Amino acid sequence: MADTIEKDIFQGIMLRMMALPLPAGMTLAGNVALPGVTFSPTPTTKYVSFEIHFNRSIRTDLALQIDPIRQGFIRGNVNWPKGGAQVDAVELAGVVCKHFKAGTNFYQDGTQIRFDEDPEMSLLIIGSTHVTVPVTARWLCYPHVPA
């Protein structure tokens, strides 16, 4: 059985998240929380947590024969220990924005995933142990159109 488009989208976005350029001293295993991967930060851990969300799909043909445009978003939460330099959290959030900027596109098993809008950085959220800077990047997956 062939993989579904949803699986291709999920895997492609996961690979893109894993390729995020991190500041010196940070690693993928120690400072990035990926969906479905066990990660246990401490109150002093600087890290980025990622989520992948699927939204609604859009049908574009009247006969309903062509796959829909699939869309969703990723959320990258930059979590910085309270008392640390918040500007460093904002800097890393900017790196996440750049990594998923408008014009970013890639393929996973023939399925193209596109980011046609620049990501949105939200307000700082002050938690009990960390300051969080959320970044939202919206993705699209256009259908394979028969020739």
Side-chain angles (χ1 to χ4, degrees):
M1 183 168 104
D3 290 341
T4 64
I5 291 173
E6 290 79 9
K7 181 179 177 183
D8 289 341
I9 292 167
F10 188 87
Q11 287 178 328
I13 292 173
M14 284 284 286
L15 291 171
R16 182 71 184 179
M17 290 172 176
M18 293 167 66
L20 178 71
L22 296 168
M26 293 179 76
T27 65
L28 178 64
N31 302 97
V32 179
L34 296 168
V37 178
T38 302
F39 185 81
S40 300
T42 67
T44 60
T45 304
K46 301 171 184 175
Y47 68 101
V48 180
S49 63
F50 280 111
E51 307 162 11
I52 300 172
H53 298 270
F54 287 78
N55 283 2
R56 55 189 284 201
S57 58
I58 302 168
R59 290 284 181 180
T60 58
D61 68 310
L62 295 175
L64 302 176
Q65 299 298 309
I66 298 174
D67 276 344
I69 298 170
R70 289 170 172 82
Q71 60 184 358
F73 64 94
I74 64 155
R75 173 73 41 78
N77 294 305
V78 175
N79 298 283
W80 217 255
K82 275 178 90 172
Q86 291 181 3
V87 69
D88 292 337
V90 172
E91 172 69 15
L92 184 51
V95 171
V96 174
C97 287
K98 184 176 180 182
H99 195 60
F100 292 99
K101 69 182 179 186
T104 299
N105 69 80
F106 47 88
Y107 289 85
Q108 177 66 28
D109 289 339
T111 297
Q112 183 185 42
I113 299 104
R114 299 171 48 124
F115 292 80
D116 291 348
E117 303 174 30
D118 282 325
E120 303 162 19
M121 190 184 310
S122 186
L123 299 171
L124 296 173
I125 300 168
I126 310 297
S128 59
T129 61
H130 285 80
V131 173
T132 302
V133 184
V135 174
T136 302
R138 301 177 194 293
W139 57 263
L140 293 163
C141 178
Y142 290 97
H144 299 279
V145 178

